């Protein structure tokens, strides 16, 4: 079955899908994106993803290419046309196509919208989470507006490749004060010896992860203690557990940081329980 992409008003064969060479996303990384999990055919935490998408657009003064109702239809149609039951749907919006010029283009230029969807192997993801992942640390080198889900991901790409080359899955950024901000494409968490879940406050230095927000809600409903505060790599190494969250990773245990085991070097029970129960607490938006 050939894959289908939505590109600026049309559903086209994925292999033939293209944007113009003067799309501002291509030339300036002048755009934003979202990744939403698809599970059993439903969009997970769609409302939170769309709220963040609108915020990212607003922060960059990019117009919404269509209203929310229409966008939801495009998301479902793209998932449906690709026959995705478990996987992701990806949304990218750029400031549009215009002659290369740093200034914003005239108002007549419409923002560009691309939506793709692809399947993921759930069994493989579960096996990966059951094994846990390793992370490395690296100095924070991104711009301060990481709260905007911009497609300008070059530092993230480099950090994640560095992790891969080191046999790890994720790189945790460490800010100038020695505190972990987040991962290249995930939020960072630890579980203290007292069983408190700790994750950096969303005010600065991190993307306001949707999975992070849902895990906070879930932990509170399960009467677990959550502290939104920054932590250091040393604290994380000495913690009982560590884990990462993202729409693509859900809750994934971290078993080593910079080559040193976290806890007993195996996925921790708290992270595994949060992963197992995540979808009881996340919002399911059916088609
Ligand atoms: N990444 N931090 C960063 C830098 C991210 O890129 C992401 C998501 C997250 C987790 O956010 P959420 O829980 O809303 O997925 C945190 C997506 C999945 C990606 O770039 O593929």
């Amino acid at each position: 079955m050939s894959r289908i992409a939505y590109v600026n008003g049309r559903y086209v064969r994925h292999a033939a899908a293209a944007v113009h060479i003067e799309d501002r996303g291509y030339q300036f990384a002048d755009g934003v994106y979202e990744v939403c999990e698809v599970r059993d055919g439903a969009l997970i935490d769609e409302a939170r993803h769309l709220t963040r998408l609108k915020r990212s657009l607003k922060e960059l003064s990019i117009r919404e290419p269509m209203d929310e109702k229409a966008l939801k239809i495009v998301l479902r149609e793209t998932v449906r046309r690709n026959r995705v039951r478990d996987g992701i749907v990806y949304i990218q919006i750029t400031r549009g196509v215009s002659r290369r010029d740093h200034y914003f283009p005239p108002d007549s230029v419409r923002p560009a919208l691309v939506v793709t969807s692809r399947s993921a192997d759930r069994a493989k993801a579960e096996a990966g989470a059951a094994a846990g992942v390793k992370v490395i640390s690296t100095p924070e080198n991104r711009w301060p507006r990481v709260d905007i889900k911009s497609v300008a991901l070059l530092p993230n790409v480099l950090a994640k490749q560095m992790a891969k080359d080191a046999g790890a899955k994720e790189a945790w950024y460490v800010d100038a004060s020695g505190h972990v901000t987040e991962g290249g494409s995930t939020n960072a968490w630890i579980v203290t010896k007292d069983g408190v879940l700790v994750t950096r406050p969303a005010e600065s230095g991190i993307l306001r992860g949707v999975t992070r927000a849902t895990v906070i809600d879930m932990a509170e409903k399960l009467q677990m203690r959550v502290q939104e505060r920054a932590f250091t790599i040393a604290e994380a190494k000495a913690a009982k557990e560590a884990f990462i969250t993202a729409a693509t990773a859900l809750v994934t245990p971290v078993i080593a940081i910079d080559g040193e085991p976290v806890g007993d070097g195996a996925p921790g029970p708290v992270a595994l329980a949060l992963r197992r129960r995540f979808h009881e607490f996340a919002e399911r938006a059916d088609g």
Side-chain angles (χ1 to χ4, degrees):
M1 189 202 76
S2 63
R3 290 181 62 203
I4 300 294
Y6 174 91
V7 184
N8 294 323
R10 292 192 304 148
Y11 293 94
V12 294
R13 274 197 313 117
H14 189 276
V19 293
H20 195 275
I21 55 166
E22 287 197 306
D23 185 287
R24 291 182 62 98
Y26 178 59
Q27 292 193 324
F28 294 114
D30 189 1
V32 301
Y33 75 106
E34 277 297 328
V35 180
C36 183
E37 187 200 2
V38 180
R39 190 177 175 94
D40 295 326
L43 275 68
I44 303 302
D45 281 331
E46 179 189 33
R48 278 185 156 147
H49 282 285
L50 294 183
T51 299
R52 186 174 62 189
L53 177 65
K54 278 191 199 172
R55 180 179 179 277
S56 295
L57 290 169
K58 190 157 173 275
E59 292 297 313
L60 296 179
S61 305
I62 298 177
R63 291 201 309 278
E64 291 175 29
M66 58 176 63
D67 67 24
E68 185 172 308
K69 203 169 151 215
L71 180 58
K72 283 180 167 180
I73 292 170
V74 171
L75 298 184
R76 281 157 185 71
E77 187 60 15
T78 308
V79 168
R80 189 188 71 76
R81 286 190 189 223
N82 287 284
R83 298 197 174 87
V84 172
R85 199 175 151 67
D86 297 311
I88 56 143
V89 60
Y90 175 84
I91 312 166
Q92 177 166 321
I93 300 169
T94 72
R95 207 180 299 276
V97 175
S98 188
R99 191 178 75 100
R100 187 178 182 279
D101 189 353
H102 290 72
Y103 306 113
F104 289 179
D107 284 347
S108 54
V109 171
R110 291 177 56 83
L113 169 64
V114 168
V115 179
T116 58
S117 183
R118 72 171 187 226
S119 298
D121 185 337
R122 218 158 114 174
K124 202 172 147 198
E126 287 314 314
V133 298
K134 298 174 181 170
V135 307
I136 60 162
S137 62
T138 188
E140 180 64 85
N141 61 356
R142 300 173 300 162
W143 75 327
R145 294 308 308 275
V146 292
D147 56 306
I148 299 171
K149 201 159 172 58
S150 146
V151 295
L153 291 173
L154 187 54
N156 310 59
V157 165
L158 297 177
K160 292 207 59 126
Q161 184 60 39
M162 199 197 303
K164 191 176 179 187
D165 292 343
K169 182 85 176 170
E170 183 59 294
W172 277 3
Y173 289 114
V174 178
D175 69 14
S177 69
H179 293 98
V180 174
T181 54
E182 62 179 335
S185 63
T186 57
N187 288 117
W189 298 70
I190 57 171
V191 183
T192 66
K193 294 257 179 326
D194 303 331
V196 181
L197 303 184
V198 179
T199 192
R200 189 181 173 103
E203 276 80 60
S204 75
I206 66 165
L207 179 78
R208 299 167 185 193
V210 166
T211 318
R212 174 187 176 282
T214 297
V215 169
I216 290 175
D217 289 353
M218 162 181 187
E220 282 167 358
K221 282 182 191 141
L222 293 172
Q223 264 141 46
M224 301 167 97
R225 279 172 300 158
V226 178
Q227 261 176 23
E228 291 187 68
R229 64 166 176 84
F231 57 85
T232 63
I233 289 288
E235 190 182 1
K237 282 179 181 168
K240 204 154 83 180
E241 296 184 31
F243 62 91
I244 53 176
T245 56
T248 45
L250 305 176
V251 177
T252 296
V254 169
I255 55 169
I257 302 169
D258 290 334
E260 289 179 39
V262 177
D264 56 8
V270 174
L272 290 174
L274 290 170
R275 180 183 182 90
R276 196 167 52 243
R277 299 198 59 188
F278 178 78
H279 292 97
E280 285 174 42
F281 296 86
E283 180 212 19
R284 274 181 64 91
D286 291 297

